[in-house]
Amino acid sequence: MQYRSDVEAADALQNAYGQIRAEISKVIVGQDEVIKFVLISIFSNGHCLLVGVPGLAKTLLVQTVAQVLDLDFKRIQFTPDLMPSDIIGSEILGEDRNFKFIRGPVFSNIILADEINRTPPKTQAALLEAMQEKCVTAAGVTHKLAKPFFVLATQNPIEQEGTYPLPEAQLDRFMFNVALNYPSFAEELQVVKNTTSTSQVSVNKQLNAEQIIYFQQLVRNIPVSDNVLEYAVKLVSKTRPNSEFASPQIKRLLNWGAGPRASQFLILGAKCHAVLNGKYSPDIEDVQAVAKPILSHRIVRSYHAEAEGLSANDIIEQLF
């Protein structure tokens, strides 16, 4: 897979993105924004948190993405009794009287961590360590994870009883926090038609692991002008109540702002968003396009914001 220049490779990525979207839309009706952010986080080498009520095709979406990208896929259903060894694997005594390591489901390219807030912090931490370090340690031996490695975690926003909400420091590991909404009437009609008949849809593979790793490197190589870098860092600084850039309104509405990781993800996301839209360098619009899902889970609203019924996204709008 040799491209003569980065420009040619960027065109190839934009073209592949169009084909991937077309394949996914054979199975998934609507959810365009969600699919876009999932693919951006894969090509930016980040992870994604999907928040939505049951039955919005979160699992189907991830399965379809894995099929189209020709990647190994594992689903872990998080439950209150799940142990870290159930995710990363464990040592067992073999027939030859030696210990050997049996790999857990985390040794895969795409992991669907279903209802990650249903399991205790010890087990959440095992997955989040693997996400950050791209390796796991068992019985003192470090095992590297497959590349590319991508975690898509889901949370159900309705029922919080008996759950273990992810603390802010762990939420920060996710590049995007994407909210799934109910489909429109027309989309739901199409979903019901597709899923209550005998018709089978097959999707074609568009990329493989090696190409994805190449494109992840390409996204990092995209040049960014200083004014876009400054805009992204200033945007994140504006969320911090004690920052010189924060307006009096923001100081009133937020208790806590986003950390430096948000600035890094804004630039990476903007680079990827630019390439997928046929540009060779991101501008301020690209930063704004990815800002909401990157910042929404990194800011903590104050009592005033909650009393006024302002969501995290409403506050981020004010930052632009």
Side-chain angles (χ1 to χ4, degrees), residues 21 35 74 114 137 158 166 193 195 208 261 281 296 298 308 312-313:
R21 291 287 298 257
I35 295 168
K74 295 272 194 318
D114 226 345
T137 306
I158 306 172
L166 287 174
K193 264 186 201 166
T195 54
N208 58 31
R261 211 179 250 149
S281 180
S296 61
R298 292 185 162 88
E308 289 168 32
N313 283 346

Coordinates of all heavy atoms in Angstrom, one line a residue, residues 21 35 74 114 137 158 166 193 195 208 261 281 296 298 308 312-313:
R21 N -19.0 4.4 5.0 CA -20.3 4.9 5.4 C -21.4 4.2 4.6 O -22.5 3.9 5.2 CB -20.3 6.4 5.2 CG -19.5 7.3 6.1 CD -20.0 7.4 7.5 NE -21.3 8.0 7.6 CZ -21.5 9.3 8.0 NH1 -20.5 10.0 8.3 NH2 -22.7 9.8 8.1
I35 N -22.1 7.5 13.7 CA -21.1 6.8 12.9 C -19.9 7.6 12.5 O -18.8 7.1 12.6 CB -21.8 6.3 11.6 CG1 -23.0 5.3 11.9 CG2 -20.8 5.7 10.6 CD1 -23.9 5.1 10.7
K74 N -14.8 -8.3 19.9 CA -15.3 -9.0 21.0 C -16.3 -8.1 21.8 O -16.0 -6.9 21.9 CB -14.2 -9.4 22.0 CG -13.2 -10.4 21.4 CD -13.6 -11.8 21.6 CE -12.5 -12.8 21.4 NZ -11.7 -12.6 20.2
D114 N -20.0 -3.3 27.0 CA -21.5 -3.0 27.1 C -21.8 -2.7 28.6 O -21.5 -3.4 29.5 CB -22.3 -4.2 26.6 CG -23.4 -3.8 25.7 OD1 -23.7 -2.6 25.7 OD2 -24.0 -4.6 25.0
T137 N -0.9 -6.5 32.2 CA 0.1 -7.3 33.0 C -0.7 -8.3 33.8 O -1.6 -8.0 34.5 CB 0.8 -6.3 33.9 OG1 1.4 -5.2 33.1 CG2 1.9 -7.0 34.6
I158 N -30.6 6.0 31.7 CA -31.9 6.1 32.5 C -31.7 5.6 33.9 O -31.9 6.3 34.9 CB -33.0 5.2 31.8 CG1 -33.2 5.6 30.3 CG2 -34.3 5.4 32.5 CD1 -34.1 4.6 29.6
L166 N -18.6 6.1 36.0 CA -17.1 6.3 35.8 C -16.7 7.7 36.4 O -17.3 8.7 36.1 CB -16.8 6.3 34.3 CG -16.9 5.0 33.6 CD1 -16.7 5.2 32.1 CD2 -15.9 4.0 34.1
K193 N -39.1 -2.2 9.2 CA -39.3 -3.0 7.9 C -38.1 -3.9 7.7 O -38.2 -5.1 7.3 CB -39.3 -2.0 6.7 CG -40.6 -1.6 6.2 CD -40.5 -0.7 5.0 CE -41.8 0.1 4.8 NZ -41.6 1.2 3.8
T195 N -36.0 -5.2 9.9 CA -35.6 -6.2 10.9 C -36.8 -7.2 11.2 O -36.6 -8.1 12.0 CB -35.3 -5.5 12.3 OG1 -36.4 -4.6 12.6 CG2 -34.0 -4.7 12.2
N208 N -8.3 -3.0 6.0 CA -7.9 -4.0 7.0 C -7.0 -3.3 8.1 O -6.8 -2.1 8.0 CB -7.1 -5.1 6.3 CG -5.9 -4.6 5.5 OD1 -5.3 -3.6 5.9 ND2 -5.5 -5.2 4.4
R261 N -5.7 16.9 27.9 CA -6.0 15.9 27.0 C -7.1 16.3 26.0 O -7.2 15.9 24.9 CB -6.5 14.6 27.8 CG -6.2 13.3 27.1 CD -6.6 12.2 27.9 NE -5.5 11.4 28.5 CZ -5.6 10.7 29.6 NH1 -6.7 10.8 30.3 NH2 -4.6 10.1 30.1
S281 N -5.8 20.4 5.7 CA -5.4 21.0 6.9 C -6.6 21.4 7.6 O -7.5 22.0 7.0 CB -4.4 22.1 6.7 OG -4.0 22.7 7.9
S296 N -17.9 17.6 26.3 CA -19.1 17.4 27.1 C -18.9 16.6 28.4 O -19.5 16.8 29.4 CB -20.3 16.8 26.3 OG -19.9 15.6 25.8
R298 N -16.0 16.3 30.0 CA -14.8 16.8 30.7 C -15.1 18.1 31.5 O -14.2 18.6 32.1 CB -13.7 17.1 29.7 CG -13.2 15.8 29.0 CD -12.0 16.1 28.1 NE -11.2 14.9 27.9 CZ -11.5 14.1 26.9 NH1 -12.5 14.3 26.0 NH2 -10.8 13.0 26.7
E308 N -30.8 26.3 35.8 CA -31.2 26.9 34.6 C -31.5 25.9 33.5 O -31.9 26.3 32.4 CB -30.2 28.0 34.1 CG -30.2 29.2 35.0 CD -29.0 30.1 34.7 OE1 -28.5 30.2 33.5 OE2 -28.4 30.7 35.6
A312 N -24.5 20.4 29.1 CA -23.1 20.6 28.8 C -22.9 21.2 27.4 O -22.1 22.1 27.2 CB -22.3 19.3 28.9
N313 N -23.7 20.6 26.4 CA -23.6 21.1 25.0 C -24.1 22.6 24.9 O -23.5 23.3 24.1 CB -24.4 20.2 24.1 CG -23.7 18.9 23.8 OD1 -22.5 18.8 24.1 ND2 -24.4 18.0 23.3

